[in-house]
Amino acid sequence: MAKQKTIITCAVTGAIHTPTMSEHLPITHNDIAEQAIAAAEAGASILHLHTRDPEDGRPSVEPEHYAGILSRVKQSTDAVLNITTGGAPTMLIRDRIKAAVHFSPEMCSLNMGSMNFAFHPLADRYDTWKHDWEKEYIAGSEANIFRNTFADIKQAATELAPHDIKFEHECYDVGHLYNLKFCMDIGLFKAPVFLQFVFGVLGGIGAEVDNLIFMKRTADRLFGDDYRWSVLGAGAAQMPLATTASQMGGNVRVGLEDSLFITRGQLAQSNAEQVTKIRRIVEDLGCEVASPDEARDILDLKGGDRVAF
């Protein structure tokens, strides 16, 4: 039987890193769109998209901040566009799903449980900041509870159900897999599901290969053959865990949302640089990279002709 091709997702900007941390982090709508297009050209078949306030780079979930990005990227690539419903850890679900409801994309992310979601140690690395909001936002994450209750998950699933969206179920710990199974049992989500195992976020499961194997075995037990999966390693774990996942039959996610670096101590110049690196690794190790249409087929997506942008 032919080996299934590897889907590369690129998470272009996210909501954790701030403008001070890297001059290469896309902040303006033009930069986000340009880097997304370049990432697709480098081999990413799915683009996981956040947006930002173009004035100061703070995280945003406003549909007007997405509009120009989505239309431009759709005109320039055939990539699957995946809109976050994670937003930022400080936001509530009613705001985080607004853009997905408005634009009806092929995919959305959806966090599968509440958790401590902290990145406050980053505040100690910088003496000066480009914008006033950055230090407080980073340091204040020590007190964050990233709220994703069962009621929140139900709200997202129910309001987005008419849009036939495939979720990227982000699972930051093993309990999130059980949360998803419960939600499937009560009819909120239908198989096959797409899981994004997330490793290395402070407050979630650690970025270790043993944990990847444990998460995979747990998913096998809970979902059988009715799921596809991918791996997101935060920070320095990005490339090693993606490489391991690709050899285990999984898919991979890279991007400046998850790590600002291309190798230890060296900032990535772009999202496309990270995509190029993981594509080279995946192909050198004998796997083929999926095209956007192949990714649509693997994940059973509704197609780019049924979005509202």
Side-chain angles (χ1 to χ4, degrees):
M1 192 165 88
K3 188 174 183 180
Q4 185 168 279
K5 294 186 178 181
T6 303
I7 299 169
I8 299 176
T9 295
C10 182
V12 178
T13 189
I16 304 307
H17 298 128
T18 68
T20 294
M21 297 178 182
S22 173
E23 63 180 345
H24 308 296
L25 181 70
I27 299 299
T28 67
H29 301 160
N30 180 66
D31 287 346
I32 294 171
E34 284 191 351
Q35 288 218 32
I37 292 166
E41 291 171 346
S45 54
I46 300 174
L47 300 171
H48 172 101
L49 297 174
H50 289 241
T51 191
R52 293 174 180 261
D53 186 320
E55 296 298 320
D56 61 8
R58 73 178 68 224
S60 170
V61 289
E62 296 305 319
E64 60 263 33
H65 289 158
Y66 273 106
I69 297 170
L70 294 172
S71 60
R72 183 172 170 193
V73 176
K74 187 173 187 290
Q75 290 168 7
S76 301
T77 82
D78 191 35
V80 176
L81 303 190
N82 173 342
I83 295 178
T84 181
T85 68
T90 53
M91 299 174 180
L92 297 177
I93 194 68
R94 65 171 181 263
D95 299 312
R96 288 155 40 194
I97 65 174
K98 287 191 300 186
V101 170
H102 185 83
F103 293 110
S104 190
E106 293 182 78
M107 294 187 72
C108 287
S109 63
L110 184 60
N111 298 74
M112 292 312 301
S114 300
M115 59 183 291
N116 295 335
F117 193 113
F119 39 95
H120 59 281
L122 294 174
D124 296 330
R125 299 184 185 182
Y126 306 93
D127 296 322
T128 59
W129 301 84
K130 290 182 179 180
H131 302 286
D132 292 341
W133 66 271
E134 294 181 72
K135 184 176 182 180
E136 182 179 354
Y137 175 74
I138 299 297
S141 70
E142 184 177 16
N144 280 356
I145 296 176
F146 190 14
R147 174 180 161 145
N148 297 282
T149 65
F150 284 113
D152 294 336
I153 294 167
K154 182 178 180 180
Q155 182 178 351
T158 302
E159 293 195 29
L160 293 172
H163 296 272
D164 193 20
I165 291 169
K166 173 71 72 173
F167 291 99
E168 172 196 11
H169 293 282
E170 295 192 340
C171 297
Y172 291 76
D173 216 330
V174 67
H176 292 182
L177 297 174
Y178 287 90
N179 291 351
L180 175 57
K181 181 61 165 63
F182 169 79
C183 290
M184 293 176 71
D185 288 344
I186 63 173
L188 290 181
F189 308 109
K190 296 179 181 179
V193 289
F194 181 49
L195 310 183
Q196 189 70 256
F197 299 148
V198 184
F199 300 95
V201 171
L202 183 58
I205 199 167
E208 300 167 7
V209 172
D210 282 351
N211 288 336
L212 168 55
I213 294 170
F214 178 48
M215 292 280 278
K216 176 65 168 58
R217 286 177 174 170
T218 302
D220 287 343
R221 186 169 63 253
L222 293 176
F223 308 114
D225 294 327
D226 287 333
Y227 80 101
R228 301 290 180 266
W229 62 285
S230 177
V231 163
L232 180 177
Q238 184 185 70
M239 295 295 170
L241 281 186
T243 302
T244 303
S246 73
Q247 293 302 291
M248 292 173 60
N251 303 290
V252 302
R253 176 171 138 174
V254 296
L256 297 184
E257 172 174 354
D258 304 332
S259 174
L260 292 174
F261 294 86
I262 190 63
T263 191
R264 184 171 296 275
Q266 181 180 338
L267 289 171
Q269 301 290 303
S270 67
N271 282 277
E273 185 178 18
Q274 291 184 346
V275 173
T276 298
K277 180 173 180 176
I278 194 60
R279 179 175 187 169
R280 182 177 66 249
I281 292 170
V282 165
E283 292 179 338
D284 283 351
L285 292 175
C287 297
E288 291 185 68
V289 171
S291 70
D293 282 342
E294 288 169 335
R296 289 183 173 95
D297 184 59
I298 292 167
L299 300 179
D300 192 25
L301 303 185
K302 66 181 182 181
D305 58 332
R306 294 179 56 199
V307 301
F309 55 89

